[in-house]
Amino acid sequence: MARQLDSATREALQARVRFYRDLGLTEFYRRPVDSALMEQLASEPEPFQSQNLGASGLASETWNQSSKSIDSRVENPIPSRKHMIAAPEIGTVVPAAERAAALQIIRDDIGDCTRCALHTGRNKLVFGDGDPAARLMFVGEGPGADEDAQGLPFVGKAGQLLNNMIAAMGLKREEVYIANVVKCRPPGNRVPEQEEGATCSPFLFRQIDVVRPKVLVALGATAATWLLGKHQPLAGLRGRVHAVRGTQLIVTYHPAYLLRDPRQKKEAWADLQIAMRELGLKSPGRS
Ligand code: SF4
């Protein structure tokens, strides 16, 4: 008989189980689980399942609006930039114990930034979040509405999915570091302009150099483009390890895209397994 769970725990478990199921993972637990409870959680509806979708195929008014911008990003995933500005030189290694302070220096340097046009629509600047000495760092494109409101990266629906992806890797969100190419929300969630990315991305490079993750994961084409300094279709970048700023880069889909096309979750999981291999993490189901 299924145990009673509080609603927050239940919701988190439902999301986790659905994510695993989408990946085709059903037999990976190393200790006995309440199979009736797992089955019950997996079968309960989620906000983005078809019965909640309107004629547009989107789940809610809010999501509907934000997804229009995401749609345009997905249809044209590589920004039409003519050139990329080279990343600054890689700095000296910051001792792990000093990385939080080093990140704070970068944050202080950014200040109440007005260096590019994105500051005009900003509610909160989204610097980054997580373990300053993380072995794994995710890089996204820029803040969305939820992130702009809270000042934290990946806290909306896409963030919930990213949390599930991190958990599927056997990690906690607090164990990774997360940042974006631009730190202020582009209007309507559009792709950052060349000028905006060029102005803001040096701060990201400094964050990467301080955190010095063993593995970087670029979430989506914009992050991959700025990290690699070149335009390539996402398909040509996925499935292999790139070298960036003295670390290893894996490229995968943006969680917002995975929400729009859940069939690609298995592909994303394959990418994350490459990251896990590089980190020495075991995949679920492997002893
Ligand atoms: S996006 Fe970056 S460079 Fe532009 S205003 Fe915000 S912090 Fe400054």
Side-chain angles (χ1 to χ4, degrees):
M1 187 171 157
R3 284 168 288 171
Q4 294 300 310
L5 300 172
D6 64 74
S7 60
T9 306
R10 185 174 202 80
E11 200 172 303
L13 272 172
Q14 285 171 345
R16 183 81 52 80
V17 170
R18 277 191 296 269
F19 180 69
Y20 287 141
R21 191 182 56 186
D22 287 348
L23 298 175
L25 297 173
T26 56
E27 310 234 358
F28 54 87
Y29 292 96
R30 296 193 179 91
R31 59 177 183 272
V33 297
D34 186 332
S35 56
L37 173 63
M38 297 299 283
E39 190 54 42
Q40 183 186 340
L41 288 169
S43 64
E44 290 186 7
E46 63 177 321
F48 294 98
Q49 280 183 328
S50 57
Q51 65 268 31
N52 292 332
L53 302 184
S56 64
L58 299 171
S60 68
E61 190 64 23
T62 305
W63 180 243
N64 195 335
Q65 288 167 358
S66 64
S67 293
K68 285 176 184 169
S69 306
I70 292 165
D71 278 349
S72 63
R73 187 162 62 195
V74 169
E75 285 164 12
N76 184 21
I78 303 297
S80 57
R81 302 181 185 111
K82 292 200 167 41
H83 63 278
M84 303 293 295
I85 291 181
E89 291 298 312
I90 299 174
T92 54
V93 177
V94 179
E98 296 171 21
R99 290 180 190 174
L103 288 173
Q104 186 58 50
I105 290 170
I106 301 171
R107 179 64 188 90
D108 293 344
D109 285 351
I110 296 174
D112 192 15
C113 187
T114 58
R115 291 173 178 85
C116 85
L118 292 181
H119 81 277
T120 57
R122 174 179 75 216
N123 181 36
K124 286 189 177 167
L125 190 147
V126 180
F127 176 67
D129 185 38
D131 182 355
R135 297 175 68 230
L136 174 62
M137 178 171 173
F138 290 92
V139 176
E141 177 178 301
D146 293 310
E147 292 75 17
D148 177 65
Q150 296 186 43
L152 291 168
F154 285 93
V155 289
K157 293 288 181 190
Q160 289 171 19
L161 178 56
L162 179 59
N163 290 347
N164 288 335
M165 293 161 71
I166 293 168
M169 298 175 78
L171 297 169
K172 297 177 183 149
R173 178 166 167 135
E174 318 80 89
E175 294 177 303
V176 308
Y177 193 82
I178 306 173
N180 286 308
V181 173
V182 292
K183 313 220 175 289
C184 302
R185 183 191 182 198
N189 291 350
R190 65 160 169 73
V191 175
E193 302 283 357
Q194 156 75 24
E195 172 98 14
E196 295 156 356
T199 306
C200 204
S201 60
F203 295 116
L204 170 67
F205 297 136
R206 286 175 63 187
Q207 287 171 289
I208 293 169
D209 293 348
V210 166
V211 176
R212 286 211 161 241
K214 181 168 174 56
V215 173
L216 268 173
V217 175
L219 299 169
T222 300
T225 297
W226 282 98
L227 288 171
L228 288 164
K230 61 184 177 186
H231 310 290
Q232 271 187 43
L234 205 65
L237 298 173
R238 292 186 45 251
R240 59 198 168 95
V241 180
H242 307 264
V244 166
R245 303 193 72 72
T247 188
Q248 299 165 97
L249 172 71
I250 314 294
V251 176
T252 192
Y253 296 110
H254 194 287
Y257 174 69
L258 296 177
L259 288 173
R260 294 282 298 123
D261 188 356
R263 293 169 301 174
Q264 305 303 327
K265 284 182 182 174
K266 283 186 184 174
E267 296 294 316
W269 178 238
D271 297 329
L272 295 183
Q273 286 185 303
I274 298 173
M276 291 170 69
R277 184 190 70 206
E278 298 303 318
L279 289 165
L281 298 172
K282 285 187 180 140
S283 293
R286 288 195 184 167
S287 55

